[in-house]
Amino acid sequence: MAETCTRKLIVEVCNARNLMPKDGQGTASAFATVDFDGQRRRTKTKLRDLNPEWDEKLEFLVHDTDSMATETLEISLYNDKKTGKRSTFLGKVRIAGSAFVKSGGETLVYYPLEKRSVFSQIKGELGLKVYYIDEDPPAPPAEQKPEEKAPETEENKPAEEAKPEEEKKEEEKKEEPKTESNKEAKKEEEKPSPPPQEENPKKPEEAAPPVKVENPPLAESEKKPSKEEKEKAEIVKRSEVTISDLELRSLASDRGRSAYDLVDRMPFLYVRVVKAKTANNESKSPVYAKLMIGTHSIKTKSQSDKDWDKVFAFDKEGLNSTSLEVSVWTEEKKENEEATQECSLGTVSFDLQEVPKRVPPDSPLAPQWYALESENSAGNEVMLAVWIGTQADEAFQEAWQSDSGGLLPETRAKVYLSPKLWYLRLTVIQTQDLHLGSAKARNPELYVKAQLGAQLFKTGRTSVGSTSASSANPTWNEDLVFVAAEPFEPFLTVTVEDVTNGQSVGHAKIHVASIERRTDDRTELKSRWFNLVGDDTKPYTGRIHVRVCLEGGYHVLDEAAHVTSDVRAAAKQLAKAPIGLLEVGIRGATNLLPVKTRDGTRGTTDPYVVAKYGPKWVRTRTILDRFNPRWNEQYTWDVYDPCTVLTIGVFDNGRYKHDEAAGKQGKDVRVGKVRIRLSTLDTNRVYLNQYSLTVLLPSGAKKMGEIEIAVRFSCSSWLSLIQAYTSPMLPRMHYVKPLGPAQQDILRHTAMRLVTARLTRSEPPLGQEVVQFMLDSDTHMWSMRRSKANWFRVVGCLTHVATLARWIEGIRTWVHPPTTILMHVLLVAVVLCPHLVLPTIFMYAFLILVFRFRYRQRVPLNIDSRLSYVDMVGLDELDEEFDGFPSTRSQDVVRIRYDRLRALAGRAQTLLGDFAAHGERLEALWNWRDPRATGIFVVFCLVASLVFYVIPFKVFVLGFGFYYLRHPRFRDDMPSVPVSFFRRLPSFSDQIL
């Protein structure tokens, strides 16, 4: 058996910060235990330090590299009491194996310490570096004669091997006093921290090789295992591999049985044509196979070697015959003639009623030789296999498919991945020793621009003086943030520009692959100096001082904020385990409208579906010329946050060339879009619904049909799901070092362009119009329709407040006397028992919410045409929404739209002025702008203070409540005194031009 590389997991326990005091004296003596794959290591104890620093490197052997991503690394901190008592828990950190990085990509990451139970008092964070290294297997030893190697015994064991054992025993004796508390704690069954350098006992079927049990990594490297130990370790390793393979097969079979449980099984007739054998084997004429089922006919490529090995999949529902004919033909070219003549080598027929059925995980059907029946030539055979399967068959993806145009790449189902995005932060500090020449006497203005690919950002301008040293070396201290996509652009170019003469002073190139990466703001970055290079005649024109890093603690937003589907940080070290699984079954569509014409008159549609969640995009196969297509394809995504959105779009394939003589390929046409928010779904429940497809056109909204989708959000741990609701939406860096709103918008659109550019270069490409439609890249553009929709959303929210105000006014005006009398009783109860106010409010809220549970929305909501305000908008407003930026319309049309916008902005301006006036009146009351009004308020405050000294507060509340709820016959129709007094206060409205 060939040897494979050995993988080791390295855990560097660096330090901890702000630990919880646990020793009763305001401090703690902390040590860490690290568990991975049945192995345990321990650090030294740092006495009386709440910010201990270990800087210890612990090594673990990865038994199975394929399953490393499913393992969990657990680091626990304890307070070592050194008194024989049980050590106190200080916190733990759990890291999923999927977050491990290869050596060279590790960074120091501070993980917050987690509680072991709800009642644990834990705080602080732990700094770790976790990575793995792959070591090549040792070279085979040189061949030696058997008699030269004597068997190792106790008598002839080399002194070099015996010496480490003696040293090890001495070290163990020295360690005995230090580990007394650990040995005592080991006797307790619930002790979470066993002695150092000792591994957990494993089950018999999971037992590790003997050389891994008690020797720490350093001892393993010093002591060479014997031949017997090597053989024993190899046997155990083989048994582990065998168990792993069996488990993988079991998981694969289970997955295969449930992979298509959200969609219908579609029967397909599979024909695998392998090769042919002719009686005249010396003939070099091209041969091809032809398949015919009723009116369906398809043939393979013509090949001289008669070896095709192609699979054809026919949609069984679309077949119009009960028999299959497979014929083999040869193309012979006669002498003195350019044209070729096709000659049949024979035919074999199959009755479709007798074709066997195959359902995975059954093994593939073995092809067989079939004799070809022919009157002219005999002895010809063809090797093929015929069976009836479903879309779950392994051969389906690579087969020629009758419903999607065969093997055309533009119609195949594909899975795409968005590029991994990072924020690249460049801090321009200062420049020195600039060679400005004669321009130095004119105090030129300089700025720095940086370019990464097509992204270009500039700093502010600063002047260079000739008198002071500080102005001679201009300083900026400005941050420039870029979006970098893996694989990165090769260089980041930094250029110093002279605004005065419009020339470049010099530039420097920074290799992006060498830029340091960090995961949080606590990692100290080193600044660097780079020499500036001019043209060929100026190899040195100064130097620039910068600080540059790749920010892994941010999530790079590449979607609109309200439909985001992924909030994970860019750094792999900050990755968390998924909390659930999203399964989507794209079943089919009904009543689609034609979006193009074929043959000049007949309308048709070639629909396909694109679904996006997180960085994973899926595209179904294109069903040609169908208004009721059935895809029945199922896909899965890992879910890391429940408050995310799944986006599904339906498109007409415009890149599929129906006519070879037609012009260049067109663009894909939008048919409709569906959004499903995962937080509105019940866990472990299948939602099977039809969603309306509506598209907005310049002529108005148009319903294009319906799509049938099955969705299931599975979650195995309710605790993880509830914990996700209590955690911040975005990674930590978005809050400790936030980006400005304008900067976020610029970076979001930059990320959208990068994702669009990468996906359009895929094969087959995902069109630019498709990606932009799925990402909602035009939400920042002005739209009168969206403005009206948002306004009515605000009005809808204020409707509840208005309803409450009308209800209170009805009580106040005795519209329903029993209700008003009941409110009087409630007012007395509140005044006499104020401690029951909050419990009563929350109890009412509890009862109301429980009562409304039975009336909750049971179907996931889709895009609402009424809420989008598409039915109440004019054609000119829609034309304005579809107009590009800058506008391409005529001056008269632009002037009309501008006047309309001015009228709308005027109303908004008046509303803002009214709000400002109310605030200014309240401010004027305290600033003596109206001396008489403020004087009246001063007297009122004095009298009110004396009154409240005499009258109890309960009596005041009761009296005010009865006065407010008094009968209408005791009311006046004129405004109240406080309202009239407030409206008379001055504002700044009269001081505006």
Side-chain angles (χ1 to χ4, degrees):
M1 185 175 65
E3 294 185 358
T4 58
C5 62
T6 302
R7 177 169 292 181
K8 289 185 178 181
L9 179 67
I10 310 298
V11 180
E12 294 188 20
V13 184
C14 299
N15 56 14
R17 295 179 177 179
N18 196 24
L19 297 179
M20 176 70 71
K22 291 283 185 164
D23 61 353
Q25 300 178 3
T27 182
S29 300
F31 68 91
T33 61
V34 186
D35 295 276
F36 176 75
D37 195 13
Q39 306 166 64
R40 172 166 288 185
R41 303 284 186 267
R42 178 190 149 159
T43 66
K44 297 179 181 179
T45 300
K46 295 297 182 179
L47 300 176
R48 299 180 177 275
D49 192 354
L50 295 179
N51 299 287
E53 294 187 3
W54 292 282
D55 291 328
E56 294 188 27
K57 184 184 295 185
L58 307 178
E59 295 185 4
F60 297 86
L61 186 63
V62 180
H63 296 145
D64 188 357
T65 58
D66 296 331
S67 62
M68 185 184 72
T70 61
E71 298 287 346
T72 301
L73 175 69
E74 183 169 335
I75 303 97
S76 301
L77 293 185
Y78 298 95
N79 174 42
D80 195 351
K81 292 188 176 180
K82 296 290 185 181
T83 58
K85 297 182 180 180
R86 185 175 177 179
S87 298
T88 310
F89 182 71
L90 293 176
K92 67 178 181 179
V93 172
R94 294 172 59 88
I95 305 175
S98 58
F100 300 161
V101 297
K102 197 171 183 179
S103 177
E106 71 276 5
T107 57
L108 178 61
V109 181
Y110 285 91
Y111 298 92
L113 294 174
E114 302 175 1
K115 296 182 178 181
R116 186 166 53 185
S117 64
V118 180
F119 304 101
S120 300
Q121 294 183 356
I122 302 300
K123 70 174 184 177
E125 53 192 7
L126 180 63
L128 300 170
K129 288 184 180 180
V130 183
Y131 57 95
Y132 63 88
I133 55 176
D134 291 328
E135 298 179 350
D136 295 331
E143 295 184 1
Q144 298 179 357
K145 295 182 180 181
E147 59 273 17
E148 293 180 358
K149 183 177 181 181
E152 294 182 359
T153 62
E154 294 294 334
E155 291 78 12
N156 62 0
K157 184 179 291 186
E160 291 79 8
E161 297 182 7
K163 184 177 179 180
E165 293 294 334
E166 298 174 357
E167 294 178 355
K168 182 179 178 181
K169 292 180 180 179
E170 294 177 0
E171 291 175 359
E172 290 178 353
K173 292 180 180 180
K174 295 179 180 179
E175 292 287 342
E176 286 179 359
K178 298 181 180 180
T179 59
E180 181 180 356
S181 61
N182 296 330
K183 292 182 179 179
E184 183 69 19
K186 183 181 178 183
K187 297 178 182 180
E188 301 180 13
E189 294 181 355
E190 297 181 356
K191 173 65 179 71
S193 58
Q197 306 298 336
E198 182 178 344
E199 299 183 356
N200 289 335
K202 300 183 72 177
K203 297 180 181 180
E205 64 270 19
E206 298 177 355
V211 295
K212 306 174 187 176
V213 176
E214 295 182 355
N215 295 337
L218 295 177
E220 289 179 5
S221 61
E222 294 177 359
K223 180 180 177 180
K224 298 181 180 178
S226 64
K227 183 177 181 181
E228 294 180 357
E229 292 175 336
K230 286 184 177 180
E231 293 177 354
K232 188 174 181 180
E234 185 67 19
I235 293 174
V236 176
K237 184 177 180 181
R238 292 180 181 178
S239 65
E240 290 178 348
V241 173
T242 305
I243 293 173
S244 178
D245 289 343
L246 290 175
E247 292 174 351
L248 289 176
R249 291 195 200 102
S250 176
L251 291 173
S253 61
D254 293 341
R255 182 60 186 163
R257 285 193 291 269
S258 63
Y260 287 84
D261 60 340
L262 298 183
V263 296
D264 296 332
R265 298 294 180 99
M266 298 179 63
F268 281 86
L269 174 64
Y270 289 89
V271 182
R272 180 184 179 188
V273 183
V274 183
K275 57 184 176 180
K277 182 170 60 176
T278 61
N280 184 12
N281 292 329
E282 297 180 357
S283 175
K284 299 298 183 181
S285 300
V287 179
Y288 67 89
K290 185 177 182 181
L291 285 70
M292 292 190 62
I293 309 177
T295 58
H296 294 274
S297 177
I298 186 65
K299 66 179 183 178
T300 65
K301 293 182 179 180
S302 298
Q303 296 182 183
S304 302
D305 56 0
K306 313 177 189 65
D307 190 356
W308 304 286
D309 197 11
K310 296 295 182 183
V311 181
F312 300 87
F314 297 90
D315 186 5
K316 199 168 183 297
E317 295 181 356
L319 301 180
N320 52 10
S321 178
T322 59
S323 64
L324 165 68
E325 292 185 359
V326 181
S327 57
V328 180
W329 298 74
T330 180
E331 297 178 351
E332 297 182 355
K333 186 176 181 181
K334 294 185 177 181
E335 297 180 359
N336 301 327
E337 292 185 9
E338 295 182 358
T340 58
Q341 182 178 2
E342 297 181 350
C343 298
S344 176
L345 299 180
T347 304
V348 59
S349 300
F350 296 89
D351 187 357
L352 299 185
Q353 303 296 331
E354 300 179 358
V355 172
K357 296 182 179 180
R358 175 185 177 268
V359 178
D362 295 346
S363 300
L365 193 65
Q368 301 178 11
W369 286 105
Y370 293 89
L372 297 174
E373 299 178 0
S374 176
E375 298 179 356
N376 300 328
S377 59
N380 301 323
E381 294 180 325
V382 62
M383 178 181 283
L384 52 85
V386 182
W387 72 93
I388 292 179
T390 65
Q391 74 273 30
D393 201 292
E394 298 89 348
F396 181 73
Q397 295 299 330
E398 301 300 329
W400 179 95
Q401 300 166 7
S402 61
D403 59 351
S404 61
L407 292 172
L408 296 175
E410 295 86 0
T411 62
R412 309 290 288 182
K414 291 293 180 181
V415 176
Y416 303 85
L417 289 177
S418 297
K420 189 174 182 179
L421 302 177
W422 295 71
Y423 284 144
L424 189 152
R425 185 186 299 273
L426 173 67
T427 303
V428 181
I429 302 175
Q430 69 170 161
T431 56
Q432 288 184 359
D433 195 22
L434 295 180
H435 294 182
L436 301 178
S438 59
K440 195 171 183 180
R442 295 185 283 108
N443 297 331
E445 290 186 346
L446 302 178
Y447 70 89
V448 178
K449 70 175 182 180
Q451 184 172 3
L452 180 67
Q455 305 174 59
L456 181 65
F457 294 100
K458 302 177 182 179
T459 65
R461 298 181 180 182
T462 182
S463 299
V464 179
S466 58
T467 57
S468 63
S470 59
S471 60
N473 298 319
T475 302
W476 287 272
N477 286 320
E478 293 186 26
D479 286 348
L480 304 179
V481 183
F482 302 81
V483 179
E486 293 184 358
F488 299 123
E489 296 285 344
F491 295 102
L492 169 67
T493 304
V494 182
T495 308
V496 179
E497 295 283 344
D498 186 354
V499 182
T500 308
N501 56 18
Q503 295 181 357
S504 172
V505 178
H507 69 274
K509 289 187 176 182
I510 305 174
H511 193 47
V512 178
S514 65
I515 294 177
E516 183 180 358
R517 305 183 183 188
R518 71 172 182 178
T519 57
D520 53 31
D521 61 323
R522 291 164 292 193
T523 304
E524 296 183 0
L525 298 175
K526 298 180 180 179
S527 58
R528 303 164 64 183
W529 287 94
F530 292 92
N531 291 337
L532 296 175
V533 180
D535 52 18
D536 296 338
T537 60
K538 298 179 180 179
Y540 175 79
T541 58
R543 60 177 187 163
I544 186 170
H545 191 198
V546 298
R547 186 183 299 112
V548 60
C549 70
L550 288 167
E551 297 281 10
Y554 290 93
H555 168 70
V556 181
L557 298 172
D558 59 349
E559 303 170 285
H562 59 282
V563 293
T564 182
S565 60
D566 188 14
V567 293
R568 290 176 293 168
K572 188 178 180 181
Q573 296 90 332
L574 301 180
K576 297 181 179 180
I579 63 172
L581 185 69
L582 175 63
E583 298 173 271
V584 179
I586 304 174
R587 299 171 64 89
T590 56
N591 302 323
L592 295 181
L593 297 182
V595 297
K596 58 188 175 186
T597 59
R598 185 174 298 167
D599 301 331
T601 56
R602 184 171 64 90
T604 184
T605 300
D606 301 325
Y608 70 92
V609 179
V610 175
K612 181 197 181 300
Y613 183 79
K616 179 180 177 181
W617 302 61
V618 298
R619 170 179 175 168
T620 66
R621 66 188 189 280
T622 301
I623 306 297
L624 300 180
D625 199 9
R626 298 278 183 90
F627 296 121
N628 298 284
R630 306 300 297 177
W631 293 283
N632 283 308
E633 300 182 17
Q634 185 169 334
Y635 300 93
T636 61
W637 287 268
D638 287 329
V639 177
Y640 296 89
D641 193 294
C643 302
T644 46
V645 178
L646 166 71
T647 304
I648 301 174
V650 183
F651 302 88
D652 173 77
N653 196 331
R655 289 176 168 77
Y656 170 67
K657 296 178 66 175
H658 302 285
D659 188 1
E660 297 294 337
K664 67 177 184 178
Q665 300 174 353
K667 294 183 177 181
D668 296 343
V669 181
R670 306 172 179 179
V671 177
K673 182 163 55 178
V674 176
R675 294 197 193 101
I676 300 175
R677 183 169 291 273
L678 269 61
S679 59
T680 62
L681 304 178
D682 293 339
T683 56
N684 304 318
R685 174 186 171 185
V686 177
Y687 290 85
L688 178 58
N689 299 288
Q690 286 192 340
Y691 301 90
S692 177
L693 297 173
T694 304
V695 64
L696 189 63
L697 302 174
S699 58
K702 186 176 183 181
K703 183 179 179 180
M704 303 296 293
E706 294 180 340
I707 184 173
E708 186 179 359
I709 300 294
V711 181
R712 177 171 58 206
F713 174 38
S714 305
C715 181
S716 58
S717 174
W718 268 93
L719 183 61
S720 301
L721 187 61
I722 299 302
Q723 187 179 4
Y725 278 88
T726 61
S727 60
M729 188 72 179
L730 295 172
R732 179 178 178 273
M733 285 291 289
H734 287 269
Y735 305 101
V736 299
K737 198 169 185 179
L739 302 172
Q743 190 178 26
Q744 275 192 353
D745 289 338
I746 295 174
L747 294 175
R748 179 187 292 113
H749 294 116
T750 302
M752 287 180 179
R753 288 193 294 269
L754 286 174
V755 172
T756 303
R758 292 291 178 89
L759 293 180
T760 52
R761 298 209 311 259
S762 304
E763 184 59 37
L766 203 59
Q768 178 181 356
E769 64 280 0
V770 175
V771 179
Q772 292 180 351
F773 182 61
M774 296 291 290
L775 295 179
D776 282 342
S777 60
D778 57 346
T779 53
H780 65 289
M781 301 295 293
W782 162 256
S783 169
M784 180 67 73
R785 176 188 61 84
R786 288 198 188 100
S787 300
K788 291 182 179 180
N790 292 335
W791 167 253
F792 283 105
R793 286 170 60 195
V794 175
V795 172
C797 294
L798 296 178
T799 301
H800 303 288
V801 179
T803 303
L804 179 62
R806 287 195 299 268
W807 180 72
I808 295 176
E809 184 66 20
I811 293 175
R812 179 171 173 264
T813 56
W814 292 70
V815 174
H816 191 249
T819 305
T820 305
I821 294 174
L822 183 62
M823 290 302 297
H824 282 77
V825 175
L826 182 62
L827 176 63
V828 174
V830 168
V831 172
L832 297 180
C833 304
H835 60 280
L836 297 179
V837 174
L838 291 180
T840 304
I841 292 175
F842 285 110
M843 180 56 68
Y844 278 151
F846 169 76
L847 294 176
I848 293 173
L849 292 175
V850 171
F851 177 76
R852 290 187 175 184
F853 178 76
R854 59 186 298 183
Y855 302 105
R856 70 189 187 279
Q857 185 72 33
R858 299 181 182 273
V859 178
L861 297 177
N862 188 22
I863 296 177
D864 192 344
S865 301
R866 183 189 60 82
L867 188 62
S868 302
Y869 213 73
V870 295
D871 298 327
M872 303 177 65
V873 64
L875 295 179
D876 184 62
E877 294 175 351
L878 285 176
D879 182 70
E880 180 184 13
E881 183 173 346
F882 281 92
D883 189 12
F885 187 84
S887 177
T888 58
R889 300 299 186 262
S890 62
Q891 294 184 359
D892 295 336
V893 174
V894 174
R895 185 181 296 109
I896 294 174
R897 293 174 180 173
Y898 176 66
D899 293 340
R900 183 177 59 209
L901 183 61
R902 289 176 62 190
L904 180 63
R907 292 195 292 269
Q909 171 183 295
T910 304
L911 182 63
L912 292 176
D914 293 340
F915 274 110
H918 283 58
E920 291 166 356
R921 289 191 181 102
L922 186 62
E923 185 181 0
L925 187 63
W926 296 88
N927 291 340
W928 292 85
R929 290 187 57 206
D930 187 341
R932 284 175 292 276
T934 305
I936 296 173
F937 183 67
V938 168
V939 175
F940 170 78
C941 291
L942 178 61
V943 174
S945 64
L946 297 177
V947 169
F948 281 112
Y949 272 120
V950 177
I951 301 177
F953 184 72
K954 291 183 179 180
V955 176
F956 167 76
V957 173
L958 191 62
F960 177 80
F962 282 128
Y963 176 78
Y964 183 77
L965 298 175
R966 66 190 184 278
H967 197 272
R969 68 177 59 184
F970 302 109
R971 296 180 183 275
D972 190 3
D973 295 335
M974 302 302 291
S976 63
V977 174
V979 173
S980 300
F981 179 80
F982 183 77
R983 289 179 177 175
R984 291 177 177 274
L985 294 175
S987 67
F988 292 130
S989 300
D990 53 349
Q991 299 181 20
I992 296 178
L993 289 176

